[in-house]
Amino acid sequence: QVYPNPFNSTTTISYSLPQTSAITLKVYDISGRLVSQLFNGKQEAGIHSTLVRADTWASGLYFVRLEAGGKVFTHKVMLIR
């Protein structure tokens, strides 16, 4: 879940892990280029959230990609200036 979406300069990404997992949380632009690596490591089971600061990013569509427990989840987010 991403809130708010669309967003202006900050947004919060929330996710739940059913078990302790090695995860990566990354943001890509519409061209598939990595814009930000938000987290890379091990996290305990439970609900987590990450604040994203997009002060230097251009307006447009981005993809948040979470890899955890052998699964991949992708969510579209829109940055509007």
Side-chain angles (χ1 to χ4, degrees):
Q1 179 178 335
V2 179
Y3 184 81
N5 186 20
F7 68 103
N8 186 343
S9 61
T10 62
T11 191
T12 301
I13 300 169
S14 299
Y15 53 94
S16 177
L17 298 174
Q19 61 192 27
T20 299
S21 301
I23 74 157
T24 59
L25 182 61
K26 299 177 181 178
V27 179
Y28 294 88
D29 67 13
I30 192 74
S31 300
R33 290 180 293 231
L34 179 64
V35 175
S36 180
Q37 180 165 300
L38 304 172
F39 190 85
N40 184 18
K42 190 174 186 179
Q43 280 192 330
E44 299 294 321
I47 298 171
H48 302 273
S49 62
T50 301
L51 180 66
V52 178
R53 296 189 186 281
D55 299 329
T56 61
W57 301 0
S59 294
L61 183 64
Y62 292 86
F63 297 94
V64 177
R65 179 182 167 106
L66 172 66
E67 296 179 39
K71 296 181 181 178
V72 177
F73 303 92
T74 305
H75 192 84
K76 290 186 235 179
V77 295
M78 179 67 74
L79 172 62
I80 300 174
R81 297 267 180 216

